[in-house]
Amino acid sequence: MSWDSILKRPEEIARANLRDYDREVTDFSWDQARSLLDGLPDGGLNITYEAVDRHVSHGRGDKIALRWISQENRIRALTYSDLQKLTNKFANVLRSLNFGKGDRVYCLLGRVPDLYIAALGSLKAGAAFCPLFSAFGPEPIKARMSIGEANLLITTERFYRRKLASWRNELGSLRHVVLVDGEDTLPDGTFGLAALMDGASETFNIERTAPEDIALLHFTSGTTGRPKGAVHVHAAVIAHHITGQFALDLHPDDIFWCTADPGWVTGTSYGIISPLTNGTTMIVDQAEFDAERWYRILQDHKVTVWYTAPTAIRMLMKVGSDIVRQFDLSHLRYMASVGEPLNPEAVVWSAKTFGKPFHDNWWQTETGGIMISNYQAMEVRPGSMGKPLPGVEAGIVERHDGQLREITAPSTVGELALRPGWPSMMRAYLHEEERYRKCFADGWYLSGDLAMRDADGYYWFVGRADDMIKSSGHLIGPFEVESALMEHPAVAEVAVIGIPDPVAGEIVKAFVALKAGIASSEELRMELLGHARKRLGPAVAPKEVVFRQNLPKTRSGKIMRRLLKARELGLPEGDISTLESEER
Ligand code: ATP
Ligand code: MG
């Protein structure tokens, strides 16, 4: 069965019952961005053609596209030509197994070159590609493969035996499993990739995909509940390409490192597609976070643009600034962050430590690409996510008499909304039409995040709508409270929730993880309460502070406030398939 029937144009849904949707962005058009790409030689648009083959046909084939660093520090470099040949081979393998347009190729691999070859090769063959985070256990894998009716899985023998073999036969849609390391004695019903690749031709006639053909399926992080499967089309490459220039300052001579795993949308949009369409050399590190290793990579590979996440930045802050001085980071020109609010403290720290600040930017799995950013040409405001990129129209909205209206008064909290129309917007939540339609009203796409816009047009994240706290008539965003506590030198990480209170409605409770070597004490607890009160005033400051060694986080590194709250209130924990690190 094909998914095509599920595709819904966001603009059309948003336009329904709308009065005021004729405002145009004047100085930039997506058509203009489209013209920066080539399109397939005989018509159509394909992400991989723009990311890989286009460079080869423009004489840039010898340039290094991907420099991979193995766990043990082995290096494998692939030029754009290598990548072209390998993805052609992979696409031929798919074709030889009878896979093509309309099929769903899933991948369960760590950050190894085969993952990148499989992703790009699948798109060439016209299949939809869905990367799964390799640390998922059997249940989250099964759930995501069932929802997406996976037809083919690329994985390793170990993952297959541990995470799939016991239930594989229950998934009727799954026709083949291909093992990247499978050699002599393969488990029953699997193929080895090497043998298939050996026999495959290096030339391939790319499937003529249209801009609206399905390309990628990405599941959301599951921070607020059950993950949603966001469907993206080939046209998304237009946004990946241009937003990489606007928000990450990507140029062809850059050495770019995006630390996100392709199991999450950042690791695909900006960990595969955008750096390649922009002709950079991208770094891929197989290993997990380690401060010293990261600084060594930045130094040894002369990284010029670095894209990472607040959770990693906070871990680097924990380790401190001294270690940074042992490395030569003089090539580093631009640093950006996404995934969670970036506390002002982190921006200030980075400016001091690296001589340049992290540029915060905001987007979602649903938006497919960066929407709001402290971009290159503008002054960074610590704590702000920046301004909408060209081509993106954002607004702060509220419901009034059943209809949405835009809040124009500066610094007033409302829901962050976007006018649909950019190419990387999702076209569906897979098999959840109702949930999808609910994201749109009166010409807007509703993000589910609350924010405000200051008089200069900068956007400030306040909290997810679900995480907001109502205390004595005040609407309190967790981010503000968390950022104030982060300023205290003892604090490494903090999450804030609202708990019911008979008088105030809710009161603010903070869960604090301390920096290494700092012991919790009643005295420190009082000090933090006092610090917060001084910074925020008694109405907003937490009434309770408790210490934890670790806060519960998703595998994409986001603090799961809803889980702290459910536990606090003795409620069911809900979907915790993406939970990585437990509360301790
Ligand atoms: P789910 O939708 O399943 O609950 P999720 O929203 O965490 O999970 P993602 O799409 O990975 O899944 O994350 C997008 C969300 O992350 C945004 O809606 C926002 O809440 C948060 N976010 C991302 N970047 C920023 C940022 N720069 N500042 C504040 N929040 C951010
Ligand atoms: Mg979300």
Side-chain angles (χ1 to χ4, degrees):
M1 202 197 72
S2 144
W3 285 346
D4 286 332
S5 56
I6 65 165
L7 292 189
K8 300 282 179 304
R9 296 300 297 262
E11 299 90 309
E12 281 156 28
I13 296 184
R15 249 179 232 274
N17 71 44
L18 151 91
R19 292 136 296 132
D20 173 32
Y21 189 61
D22 48 11
R23 281 176 291 158
E24 295 289 329
V25 180
T26 47
D27 54 347
F28 170 86
S29 75
W30 289 107
D31 284 344
Q32 226 174 298
R34 164 75 179 80
S35 70
L36 300 174
L37 300 174
D38 283 5
L40 286 171
D42 42 359
L45 185 67
N46 184 284
I47 292 176
T48 304
Y49 181 79
E50 303 303 335
V52 179
D53 301 60
R54 182 168 59 99
H55 299 296
V56 181
S57 54
H58 289 283
R60 300 189 289 265
D62 290 340
K63 183 159 181 205
I64 293 184
L66 189 162
R67 192 175 295 135
W68 177 71
I69 309 162
S70 80
Q71 191 97 36
E72 305 78 22
N73 288 314
R74 211 158 31 84
I75 307 287
R76 183 175 172 200
L78 297 175
T79 64
Y80 278 90
S81 289
D82 295 336
L83 213 46
Q84 180 185 42
K85 288 179 197 142
L86 289 165
T87 53
N88 281 349
K89 273 173 167 284
F90 188 88
N92 276 315
V93 167
L94 291 190
R95 217 168 251 176
S96 72
L97 295 173
N98 247 330
F99 289 99
K101 230 175 177 166
D103 286 317
R104 276 83 61 177
V105 176
Y106 273 63
C107 198
L108 178 72
L109 289 176
R111 289 182 298 279
V112 293
D114 285 325
L115 164 61
Y116 296 79
I117 294 162
L120 294 161
S122 300
L123 297 176
K124 277 189 167 175
F129 184 75
C130 180
L132 294 173
F133 189 50
S134 61
F136 277 150
E139 273 311 312
I141 293 170
K142 186 177 178 187
R144 285 162 181 73
M145 288 179 66
S146 309
I147 295 174
E149 297 149 281
N151 303 123
L152 172 67
L153 177 73
I154 317 291
T155 187
T156 64
E157 180 166 349
R158 195 169 61 102
F159 286 157
Y160 179 73
R161 288 190 193 278
R162 286 195 187 170
K163 307 185 184 198
L164 270 111
S166 65
W167 57 265
R168 176 205 170 148
N169 291 336
E170 294 168 37
L171 192 64
S173 61
L174 188 62
R175 307 207 299 268
H176 287 301
V177 173
V178 171
L179 305 179
V180 298
D181 54 354
E183 277 170 19
D184 306 333
T185 49
L186 294 171
D188 280 353
T190 65
F191 294 86
L193 182 63
L196 294 169
M197 289 284 272
D198 278 350
S201 157
E202 282 182 356
T203 57
F204 182 80
N205 209 353
I206 297 181
E207 184 76 34
R208 194 164 163 189
T209 43
E212 287 300 312
D213 284 349
I214 297 177
L216 295 158
L217 170 65
H218 260 295
F219 287 90
T220 60
S221 291
T223 314
T224 55
R226 187 164 43 89
K228 298 149 273 193
V231 176
H232 291 283
V233 296
H234 278 274
V237 67
I238 301 166
H240 297 147
H241 183 69
I242 195 75
T243 55
Q245 297 180 7
F246 289 151
L248 303 176
D249 197 34
L250 291 183
H251 291 73
D253 46 6
D254 275 317
I255 313 280
F256 175 65
W257 186 25
C258 168
T259 62
D261 188 278
W264 310 107
V265 72
T266 306
T268 303
S269 297
Y270 299 98
I272 305 180
I273 302 169
S274 184
L276 293 179
T277 63
N278 281 296
T280 72
T281 295
M282 62 179 200
I283 302 293
V284 173
D285 180 27
Q286 183 183 22
E288 292 310 315
F289 175 87
D290 173 87
E292 195 176 332
R293 179 182 178 95
W294 276 31
Y295 288 131
R296 192 167 304 285
I297 289 175
L298 291 169
Q299 167 186 278
D300 292 356
H301 294 274
K302 300 186 169 55
V303 172
T304 56
V305 182
W306 180 29
Y307 194 22
T308 189
T311 177
I313 298 169
R314 288 192 293 260
M315 288 196 275
L316 293 173
M317 289 168 74
K318 235 181 189 175
V319 178
S321 305
D322 287 351
I323 178 178
V324 180
R325 291 186 202 105
Q326 299 165 20
F327 295 90
D328 171 13
L329 305 183
S330 57
H331 291 89
L332 199 54
R333 183 183 80 246
Y334 197 79
M335 315 185 311
S337 162
V338 73
E340 278 198 301
L342 185 62
N343 312 92
E345 190 58 25
V347 179
V348 172
W349 175 81
S350 63
K352 246 192 266 165
T353 304
F354 300 98
K356 45 191 76 79
F358 274 106
H359 296 248
D360 189 18
N361 55 60
W362 176 94
W363 56 293
Q364 309 177 298
T365 309
E366 289 86 342
T367 70
I370 301 171
M371 297 281 106
I372 296 179
S373 162
N374 285 279
Y375 46 102
Q376 221 266 332
M378 65 196 249
E379 175 211 340
V380 171
R381 293 201 176 165
S384 162
M385 1 192 240
K387 296 184 185 184
L389 292 184
V392 174
E393 192 187 346
I396 303 291
V397 302
E398 66 181 351
R399 232 168 245 291
H400 189 76
D401 288 340
Q403 227 140 24
L404 287 184
R405 72 170 184 199
E406 198 171 349
I407 302 175
T408 47
S411 304
T412 310
V413 176
E415 185 161 359
L416 175 57
L418 302 159
R419 293 287 191 197
W422 68 95
S424 64
M425 178 57 177
M426 67 164 167
R427 302 294 196 265
Y429 279 140
L430 193 55
H431 306 319
E432 296 195 86
E433 184 161 356
E434 186 52 29
R435 217 173 173 188
Y436 178 69
R437 283 185 181 276
K438 277 199 181 137
C439 300
F440 302 94
D442 298 334
W444 292 102
Y445 161 71
L446 294 160
S447 71
D449 288 342
L450 299 189
M452 51 194 181
R453 181 176 46 205
D454 68 20
D456 301 322
Y458 282 76
Y459 282 71
W460 300 77
F461 183 82
V462 173
R464 292 162 182 270
D466 296 0
D467 292 338
M468 295 299 290
I469 303 162
K470 239 193 178 140
S471 186
S472 305
H474 297 277
L475 195 60
I476 301 171
F479 179 48
E480 185 188 7
V481 182
E482 290 164 4
S483 288
L485 283 165
M486 280 293 290
E487 286 169 11
H488 191 283
V491 175
E493 235 173 8
V494 53
V496 155
I497 60 168
I499 53 172
D501 178 81
V503 180
E506 277 186 310
I507 57 163
V508 178
K509 175 164 182 169
F511 296 76
V512 171
L514 296 171
K515 289 198 179 134
I518 297 182
S520 60
S521 67
E522 183 55 21
E523 203 183 334
L524 182 55
R525 207 177 65 80
M526 295 309 287
E527 192 179 315
L528 290 176
L529 284 167
H531 166 83
R533 188 168 303 209
K534 207 157 69 204
R535 287 281 293 102
L536 301 163
V540 176
K543 299 275 183 293
E544 284 185 37
V545 167
V546 292
F547 294 113
R548 293 283 185 272
Q549 260 163 36
N550 195 29
L551 301 175
K553 283 196 216 84
T554 66
R555 295 192 178 277
S556 55
K558 296 164 194 266
I559 297 174
M560 278 171 127
R561 293 175 191 79
R562 70 165 162 104
L563 195 56
L564 290 170
K565 188 155 178 170
R567 287 172 177 170
E568 190 68 28
L569 305 184
L571 297 172
E573 294 192 341
D575 189 306
I576 51 166
S577 61
T578 62
L579 179 67
E580 174 169 45
S581 58
E582 254 302 354
E583 183 184 356
R584 266 186 282 121

